[in-house]
Every structure is written in structure tokens, then in C-alpha cells.
Amino acid sequence: MKNLKELWNYMKGNRSRYLGAVISIGLATIFSLAAPLIIKVTIDSIIGSKELEAPIWIERMITEFGGVEVLRDKLWIPAAVIVGFAVVRGVFLFLKGKWSAEAAEKVAKRIRDGVYNHLQYLPYQYHVNAETGDLIQRCTSDVETIRKFLATQFVEIGSALFMLLFTIYIMLPMDITLTLISMALIPIIFIFTVIFFIKVKEAFRLMEEAEGKMSSTLQENLTGLRVVRAFGRQAHEVEKFDKNNKTNRDLTYKLIRLFAWYWSISDFMCMLQMGIVLMTSVYWTFTGRITLGTMVVFNTYVGMLLWPIRQMGRVITDLGKAMVSLERISEILDVPKEIMENTSEKPAIEGSISFKDVSFEYEKDKPILKNISFDVKAGETIAILGPTGAGKTTLVHLLARLFDYQKGSITIDGKELKDIDKKWIRKNVGLILQEPFLFAKSIKENIRLGKGNAPDDEVYSVAKVASIHDVVLEFDKGYETLVGERGVSLSGGQKQRLAIARTLISDAPIVVFDDSLSAVDTETDAAIRGALKKRKNNATTFIISHRIATLSEADFILVLDKGQLVEMGKHEDLINQKGLYSRIWKIQSLEDEILGKSS
Ligand SMILES: Nc1ncnc2c1ncn2[C@@H]1O[C@H](COP(=O)(O)OP(=O)(O)OP(=O)(O)O)[C@@H](O)[C@H]1O
Ligand SMILES: [Mg+2]
């Protein structure tokens, strides 16, 4: 019920189109039901000699054309009227199709826009956990199911109702008993349909799930194809897909079997109904209880009526499918958007930062950061070292307000971070993510993501700082080279450097390198750091790295372990402290020594 209401809300602005479609179908129904009446009058009173007994509008038409006697010699006139009615009916059917298709298209677009828009504003954590394949399915095929239902089936319900009401209205005065006989099996057919619908809905849900699983497997396999190859897991993957594919096939078979039963049984019942009416009416025509024309009317109407009633089975099934889809879409829309307070401040940011007793946990009672305190002056470079899972990425994500700290206080230039506008802070904290993502656009466009209107010179200049300029110039199309599937395949280090250029161009006063130099060689690493220092905008810089050489020149170094700040200070001080830092330093200098000797 809640879903129906939601659907009704989405139809806002298009409801009059739907009303137009329903009225059109009503009028089309009237015109298609009128033709058998004209045939009846023609048989009974124009060709035959029964006294004229017809609705008032037919009588009027006969008088217009000069009466029964005239028409008897010009039988083409009733024929032409029937053709004329068919044309008018066609026009109304066209209008119905046009309006309902237009409205459905608009509603579908609105739903798609709504979901897409909503997805953009969901909290960071939602996307960390979400399954991309499933989200894609919801944004595309689920919306399509709703669109199809709205475009074709929705008005079908109206059509069947109109048909039922009009036929009863016309048949009843002709012969009550025969009307009742004509309708005898309709409730049974309808109930049968509803039972079928309940059965089929479950089958559909199972099939949909299997289909989703299959496409997830496919999606995962395609994205991870390199891993699959590298580990020689092709056979295993093929088997996994085959299993999913089989389940999908079996469920589809089951559904088709259900449908086969449905169509054959309902066909049988419809034929039975038509047979009963045919036999009764022929017999009664013989006995003289009804006229030949009335017999024709009843038989035509029953034929016309049964089709939409049986069609209702399909409509209701699709209604069920549409409801399931709507539910899946609502699940996304029901997740609250990230709260973006607009009232917060947007101070100019210089870049001094202070952490005081900051604690943070993703899940309750599983602290990831514990009582972190340190101070940074504007323009300083801070290095962060720590084993994997220590909380380094988490710490810098707090700075960009991707998550909010639960205890303690973080201030930027003396202002509490929580009071600064989220969008504003993200603009001012240039974050180079640990796993950079590049868009399937040209290299230039990828860099410009950080600053849409940057002139070419600026693009080149940041690319030089990121040590990627010369690499780009070697590509055939230079900066216009496409990145990704249809373009050039970049190496891990090239991707990292592009991501660095993209962040640098935004000129943010705070820049964070989250392990962003891990895939570049030591020399390039040093070159990038050297170039960074020479930039005129002297940003406060955080560098997360596992490489001591990268960290050692920083103004001070934070050493994190299991969410705790275990050491802090300059390179020289930390070496003397004989802690984690000095241990790692020893291992790495030993490596250098060995490598140095062997080369
Ligand atoms: N979005 C998240 N939701 C829940 N837990 C998370 C999330 N991100 C990270 N964690 C957990 O928090 C801990 C710290 O993760 P974090 O990414 O900060 O480590 P890290 O120091 O950056 O490690 P690495 O050097 O491997 O990048 C880990 O135990 C991780 O499982
Ligand atoms: Mg990390």
C-alpha cells in the first residue's frame, strides 16, 4: 500500500496525462462496443423486419439517413459507419498509447534522476559498503520494470474495468439470464488469475535474485580479471559462473512452466465460457426467445470481454514485479543523505591544525583512533608512519570530514572542525586517496577535475610538479589521451602521479598524500617532494608512507600503532628513541646497504 502511494507521488505532474489516457481508453471501448450494436440493428431491423429496438443514438442516426426503408437499399451506409467507428477508436487508442508512454517516460526519468541524485549525497560510509553491481541493477533494470508497467499495463486495468461495465450496461436490458450466463466464469477466471499471481510473484523474486547474483559474479570477474589470470583461477571462475547460470536457468524454467499452466487453463476456461454462451444463444434464437442480432451481440461481447479479463493476470503479475522494483529503489532513497549544515562557517584557511585527545570508532566499542594529540603550524610537512591498519587513512579522513570524530577536538586555524562547512573543508583539504580513481576521460580533463577552469599552463605546471608531464608528452595524443578502458593503460605509479596533479591544481591550503608515492620509484619520489617544496603556495602537507626516505625530511613525524600515537618528533630524535621508527629505519637502511653493495 505504501508503495502504491509512493508510485502515486512519482506520478505528480503527469497525473492529467494518465487521466487523458484513461478517458481515451474509455472512449475507445465505447466505440468498439458500438459496432456490434449496429450489426444487430442491421440484421434485425434493416435486413430483417423486426420492429426497431435500439438505443436512442442509433435511432437518431437512422432517421438522419432517411429511415429504415432507405437504408435497406444502401447497406454500405451501416458498413461505412462501422468503419468510421473503427477509425475513431484507433485515434483514441493512439492517444492512450501516446499519453501513457509519455507519462511513463517522464516518471521513469524522475525516479532515475532521484536515485542518482540521492546516491551522490549519501554518506561516505554507505559507498564503502555498497555493492556497485546491485546499485547499477537498481538504477537501471528496476526503473525499467516500473516504466514498462506504467507505459503499457497501468491503463490496461482501466480498460478492463470499462469493458466490463459497458458490456454489462448494454447486455442487461437485452436479456438478464443470458447476461448472467455470459458472466458466469468471469469471477472464477479472475480468482484463478489472482492465485497464479501470488505463485508467480515468489518465482519472480527468486529469479530476480538469481539474476542479480549472476551479474554480480560477472561484474566481479570482469573487474578482477587480472587477478583471476595471475592466480590461474579461470577454471574455478568458469565453474562458479556456470553454477549461477544453472540456477538462473532452472528458475526461469520453473517460471515458464507456471506460465504454460496458466495460459492453457485460462484459455480452456475462456473457450468454455464462449462455448456456453454460443450454445445457449443459438438455442434461444431457434426458440425465438432472442433475435439473431442479439445473439451476434452477445457472442461478440463475450469474446471481447474475456481477453482483457484474462490479460488482467498479466497486468497483476507485472504490478507485483513493479512493486518489488519500487521497494528496491525505496531502499536506496530511505537511506538518509549526509547532513550538510549550510549554516556553518566558511573561514579562510591558512593551514594550522591541532588535534586534542581525538578518538574515533567506525563501529561502537571498536576504537580505531585513541586520544591523538598534536599541533601543526601552517605550511609544515607532517609525515605519518605506521603498520597497516594502524589508522593512518582514518586520521586524514577525519581531517576532510568524511567521518566525524566522536571525542576530543580538531581545530583548523583555531576553529573547531565540526563547525566548518563540510563542502568548504573538502575544498580546502586536497586529499589524494590511497586508491586513486581516474575517470574515462582525457588526461587533461582528469587533472582539471580539481579546478574546472584551469588554463593549460596551470595543468602543465602541476603535472611537472607531479613528475608526470614528460610521460604524458610521450603519448601520441599528449594531454588529450584517454585514460582507462578505451584509452591508454597507465601504470600504478602514473595513476598515482595523475591523482597528485589533480589534487595540486586545486591549490588547497592543506594537502594529504595517503601513501600516494608508494608506486613510484625513490628518485621520482624525491623529485616530487623537491618540486612540492618549491611551490609558491606553501600548503600544510601530510605525507603517509612506509618509506623512511620519504618521511625523514618532514618537519615532524607521527608514528601510529593500533590507533595510538606512539612516537612523535623529528627524524633524528626518533632514531634515538629506539622505538618502532628506529626499527623500521634500521631495516630499511640495511636493505639499502645490501642493495647498494650488490649493485
Ligand atoms: N570505512 C570503514 N568502516 C569500518 N572500518 C574501517 C573503515 N575503514 C577502515 N576501517 C578499519 O579501521 C582500521 C584502520 O584502517 P585505516 O585504513 O585507517 O588503516 P591504515 O593505517 O591507513 O592502513 P594502511 O597502511 O593499510 O593503509 C582497520 O582495522 C580497518 O579495518
Ligand atoms: Mg591507509
Side-chain angles (χ1 to χ4, degrees), residues 563-586:
Q564 264 162 336
L565 191 53
V566 290
E567 288 165 52
M568 174 163 71
K570 281 192 176 302
H571 176 69
E572 292 76 25
D573 307 335
L574 292 180
I575 288 174
N576 295 328
Q577 279 187 19
K578 309 272 178 248
L580 187 61
Y581 187 87
S582 90
R583 274 209 309 279
I584 296 173
W585 173 71
K586 271 190 195 134

Side-chain angles (χ1 to χ4, degrees), residues 124-125 128-129 362-363 368-369 386-395 403 434 514-515 544 546 560:
Y124 189 79
Q125 184 70 356
V128 172
N129 298 333
Y362 289 107
E363 290 157 43
I368 300 293
L369 292 176
T388 60
K392 305 180 294 294
T393 299
T394 308
L395 187 129
F403 300 96
Q434 193 163 9
D514 189 353
D515 222 358
I544 298 177
H546 293 288
L560 275 182

Side-chain angles (χ1 to χ4, degrees), residues 8 50 65 73 92 94 96 111 116 143 161 234 239 265 278 304 318 322 346 374 377 419 520 525 549 559 584 590 596:
W8 180 244
K50 296 253 158 55
F65 286 118
D73 294 330
F92 282 121
F94 168 77
K96 171 215 100 175
I111 297 179
Y116 189 77
V143 176
L161 281 179
Q234 284 102 324
E239 200 179 301
I265 293 176
L278 185 67
M304 283 162 82
D318 286 1
K346 297 182 179 175
F374 62 89
K377 290 195 205 77
D419 296 333
V520 300
D525 180 341
V559 183
I584 296 173
L590 204 63

